[in-house]
Amino acid sequence: MQTLRVALVQLAPRLGDLEVNLARHHELLEEARGAGADLVVFPELGLTGYQLQDLAGDVAMRLDEPRLARLAGETRGLSAVVSFVEESADHRLFIAAALLEDGEVRHVHRKVHLPTYGLFDERRFFAAGDVLRTVPSRLGMGVGLAVCEDFFHLSVPHILALDGAHLLINVSSSPGRDLAATHEVGLGTATSWWTLIRTYAQLTTCFVVFCNRVGIDESIAFWGGSEVVAPTGETLLRAPLYDEGVFTVDISPEDVRRERIAVPLLRDERPELQLRELERIVAERAGLGHDTTAEPGAEPGLDVAPESPPHEPIGFRAAGR
Amino acid sequence: MSADAAPAPVGGTEPLFELPPELEIETDVARRVIGEFIRGQLRQAGFERAVVALSGGIDSGLVAYLVAEAIGPERLLCLLMPYRTSSPASRADAEEVVRRLGCASEVIEITPMVDGFFGTDDVPGAGGPDASHASALRRGNFAARMRMAVLYDRSVTWSGLAVGTGNKTESLIGYTTLFGDSACAFNPIGDLYKSQIRQLAVAVGVPEAILRKAPSADLWPGQTDEAEAGISYPVLDRLLYWRVDKRRSPDELAAMGFDPALVERVDRMVAGSEFKRQVPPVAKLGPRTAGLDYLYPRRRPGSARA
């Protein structure tokens, strides 16, 4: 039975210090290789730290950056996922995760959902990616990459799975918060993430890898707790909270086939139905379509009307009403 | 340092304090996060040592224990800074913390500094003849700022960062002296309500005498926080938790059983003290202004002390 060894690197990057973090990535990649890893996953912005603010431009790398090529050069015979600030040719800055394989940058995912609420301010400093793609990997599995908040949107794991993923990889810098004894390990963030990871594994029948950083940026403590969950929803690895380290587990890619035959959820997905309904909903939310199930006076995109509908300024009236 | 997490009675049958269930935390997790935070703040600033102003109360006592746990007691200096009216019991409690931790400590009387400004019955002070009639509030604030000045002086001589000891409850209602007790390089307990401070203090082993006594700013004899605010900490903590952390409206709080007049009063205290929790505004004139469109982490490459 063929197995693959996955290594999760719970790293505490040095904020804004690309050189130190690059050196650390080289070291830890070698450590993981020494532990027999086929896939080594580093956390979101592991090469730069998270709370960058105006430092984002200073630590950004183009995809032809020699230092990135040197790091990729260390991946002969294995796969790695690393994350950094990517600068595009037109000088937009993205939070990127790259799949490095056999010495090359094989694929780059630009974070699609940038949280800008609560303690997050990503839209201020970064551009949002526009592409979700699953790519083939030397592991013999389709790989779908996502970054942190991307997984707080159902559509991301869903689309990546439909696009051919066997393995979903989420790299994160998740700030630990909501300390309360009522939560599973006393930390609301951990419960919330582990619930999502397990749910996505079951619903997409993919392996799901979650690699979360540790350490401190400013006020924020990142909580680690990285996971590997099987397509059945079984947790194969749960790394400790707050500890830096390399944590490994073996997975059997065959489990994807077994689970998809036993529980053919992906077979039974109806993307064409979703597409049809989504087109309708998009039109209605834009006020360009008539919602046949909406109460009179309901605002575009809603079915329920307020008790006393507000006056609708010109331009807000749905077509056909 | 014991790891007894429950607020169970130690010896007697009387519970040490009332812990509202929604405020209960996993103290192991809190200690881990706070330990990482303290070590991280010091490392990023290029410091290895810390200095704490120890009043004999629970907040600064807890901070001393947490700092000692995070970096070792040999790197901690505790400053005891009594005024002539300060409670002798507070001093004894602070000394007990120092004794148990085995950390360095120094006693610096602030009486000459405070009396030197306000004067005494016999000698006028630097603050002029009217200063001798100053209110307790003025004197209390001045004393807090003298302690701050000493704390920052010792921060230099000890080569340690000044660690904040203010809690979330007092910060939210503004029960602090601006540039006084709230001044610090970083604050490990500023996001914990008083009830949570008590829970954590039990877990790290802060002496029971400190856990049991009524919280007091000790600005004048017999003063207690709860008498001055007219609210008990468990009620105030719960009110603030639902109002601030859980974003409940005054109507929703009333439906939960909170006295609407109390909710309104606490709302005013929170809104009225907003200025104490923020960096003072700078008039925007140039292209890039700190805090507005010049936004850097406090600690970045090059900012650690060499």
Side-chain angles (χ1 to χ4, degrees):
Chain A
M1 193 59 173
Q2 189 219 356
T3 61
L4 295 172
R5 183 159 295 174
V6 179
L8 305 185
V9 183
Q10 281 195 173
L11 177 74
R14 194 78 65 82
L15 183 59
D17 201 332
L18 192 54
E19 289 303 323
V20 163
N21 295 321
L22 272 164
R24 193 89 182 107
H25 275 58
H26 280 274
E27 281 170 26
L28 291 164
L29 200 54
E30 274 318 293
E31 184 181 330
R33 183 194 293 280
D38 299 291
L39 168 67
V40 189
V41 184
F42 291 86
E44 176 186 18
L45 293 178
L47 286 167
T48 63
Y50 177 76
Q51 199 77 300
L52 290 163
Q53 300 182 298
D54 284 350
L55 292 174
D58 298 351
V59 296
M61 291 194 287
R62 299 290 314 276
L63 289 180
D64 59 3
E65 162 74 40
R67 288 178 292 186
L68 185 60
R70 271 200 294 282
L71 187 60
E74 300 292 319
T75 61
R76 267 173 286 275
L78 53 74
S79 307
V81 177
V82 301
S83 175
F84 52 94
V85 178
E86 184 221 336
E87 181 172 347
S88 62
D90 59 353
H91 311 300
R92 287 180 293 161
L93 304 179
F94 296 94
I95 298 174
L99 176 65
L100 314 179
E101 290 192 325
D102 285 332
E104 291 176 359
V105 179
R106 178 66 56 90
H107 170 61
V108 174
H109 168 74
R110 294 167 166 175
K111 189 174 189 176
V112 168
H113 293 285
L114 301 176
T116 307
Y117 59 82
L119 74 171
F120 303 107
D121 202 11
E122 293 184 14
R123 268 319 275 260
R124 180 184 168 94
F125 301 101
F126 296 104
D130 283 314
V131 177
L132 287 173
R133 289 280 190 283
T134 294
V135 295
S137 153
R138 65 179 296 285
L139 302 168
M141 303 174 90
V143 171
L145 295 185
V147 179
C148 204
E149 185 84 356
D150 286 342
F151 260 30
F152 273 80
H153 296 267
L154 281 169
S155 51
V156 172
H158 180 67
I159 287 169
L160 292 173
L162 286 171
D163 201 25
H166 304 104
L167 175 61
L168 300 175
I169 301 175
N170 181 291
V171 299
S172 283
S173 286
S174 167
R177 54 206 187 281
D178 191 12
L179 244 64
T182 46
H183 297 303
E184 185 182 350
V185 290
L187 188 68
T189 321
T191 305
S192 156
W193 267 103
W194 291 337
T195 305
L196 289 182
I197 297 300
R198 179 176 181 160
T199 304
Y200 292 154
Q202 284 187 271
L203 295 184
T204 63
T205 47
C206 288
F207 281 98
V208 182
V209 168
F210 167 63
C211 183
N212 186 30
R213 66 164 283 190
V214 291
I216 301 276
D217 282 359
E218 306 287 293
S219 293
I220 298 170
F222 300 90
W223 59 277
S226 301
E227 280 196 330
V228 176
V229 179
T232 54
E234 184 195 353
T235 301
L236 304 178
L237 169 71
R238 179 176 285 180
L241 268 60
Y242 300 107
D243 286 339
E244 200 167 9
V246 178
F247 304 94
T248 61
V249 68
D250 292 345
I251 66 170
S252 304
E254 176 67 15
D255 287 350
V256 174
R257 177 174 187 268
R258 192 188 348 270
E259 186 64 13
R260 286 183 182 180
I261 288 173
V263 187
L265 302 181
L266 208 57
R267 179 196 73 187
D268 296 345
E269 282 295 342
R270 297 285 306 279
E272 78 296 343
L273 181 150
Q274 291 177 28
L275 189 60
R276 216 160 49 228
E277 297 300 338
L278 282 172
E279 279 174 354
R280 172 184 66 78
I281 291 166
V282 168
E284 287 171 12
R285 281 165 58 121
L288 299 172
H290 174 55
D291 187 342
T292 54
T293 60
E295 293 175 356
E299 288 184 39
L302 292 179
D303 273 21
V304 178
E307 278 177 26
S308 51
H311 170 72
E312 285 183 340
I314 294 169
F316 280 74
R317 188 151 306 154
R321 264 199 274 159
Chain B
M1 284 173 240
S2 86
D4 183 10
V10 183
T13 49
E14 189 72 1
L16 276 173
F17 59 92
E18 182 190 340
L19 176 60
E22 64 268 54
L23 295 179
E24 189 181 347
I25 56 172
E26 213 56 79
T27 53
D28 289 349
V29 178
R31 285 164 85 171
R32 184 68 202 272
V33 173
I34 290 171
E36 296 284 346
F37 175 79
I38 292 168
R39 287 187 294 272
Q41 293 295 322
L42 291 173
R43 180 177 47 73
Q44 289 164 22
F47 282 77
E48 290 179 346
R49 307 211 276 189
V51 53
V52 172
L54 200 61
S55 68
I58 192 169
D59 297 334
S60 60
L62 172 61
V63 169
Y65 270 76
L66 290 169
V67 170
E69 184 171 274
I71 62 174
E74 70 283 359
R75 297 186 186 190
L76 168 64
L77 170 66
C78 283
L79 292 178
L80 283 61
M81 296 181 278
Y83 179 61
R84 59 181 161 80
T85 63
S86 296
S87 149
S90 296
R91 163 118 176 229
D93 290 337
E95 282 169 346
E96 178 64 11
V97 168
V98 168
R99 193 187 65 74
R100 290 205 195 179
L101 289 177
C103 61
S105 70
E106 192 180 356
V107 179
I108 297 176
E109 300 268 355
I110 59 164
T111 306
M113 301 158 74
V114 176
D115 289 354
F117 182 75
F118 292 110
T120 58
D121 291 342
D122 317 318
V123 188
D130 291 344
S132 60
H133 309 299
S135 65
L137 180 68
R138 277 177 66 196
R139 289 173 180 274
N141 280 336
F142 196 86
R145 293 186 179 114
M146 288 302 100
R147 293 192 175 103
M148 179 277 293
V150 174
L151 178 67
Y152 272 82
D153 179 69
R154 288 303 188 255
S155 171
V156 175
T157 56
W158 180 253
S159 284
L161 285 183
V163 186
T165 60
N167 65 63
K168 187 170 185 170
T169 311
E170 69 183 20
S171 171
L172 282 173
I173 63 170
Y175 197 58
T176 60
T177 298
L178 194 57
F179 310 120
D181 58 328
S182 62
C184 63
F186 61 87
N187 182 341
I189 62 163
D191 204 19
L192 292 174
Y193 289 109
K194 194 72 167 189
S195 306
Q196 298 169 322
I197 297 273
R198 288 166 164 165
Q199 194 198 347
L200 195 54
V202 171
V204 302
V206 170
E208 192 179 330
I210 294 178
L211 300 171
R212 285 200 179 275
K213 70 185 175 188
S216 167
D218 201 13
L219 298 177
W220 52 85
Q223 181 192 28
T224 69
D225 297 359
E226 285 164 313
E228 211 181 344
I231 320 170
S232 80
Y233 270 116
V235 171
L236 180 56
D237 286 351
R238 284 190 69 231
L239 198 165
L240 288 168
Y241 173 77
W242 288 106
R243 187 79 180 100
V244 175
D245 292 270
K246 292 300 187 182
R247 302 170 189 254
R248 294 297 193 274
S249 71
D251 286 348
E252 287 171 314
L253 286 182
M256 292 171 69
F258 287 100
D259 170 14
L262 180 64
V263 174
E264 196 187 325
R265 183 155 76 90
V266 171
D267 268 4
R268 272 201 310 274
M269 293 164 95
V270 173
S273 58
E274 214 62 77
F275 72 97
K276 291 190 180 185
R277 293 182 291 275
Q278 298 184 23
V279 175
V282 171
K284 174 69 178 167
L285 297 170
R288 265 186 113 185
T289 310
L292 285 178
D293 41 21
Y294 174 90
L295 299 176
Y296 283 95
R298 282 171 67 92
R299 305 295 182 186
R300 56 182 170 113
S303 60
R305 191 181 62 148

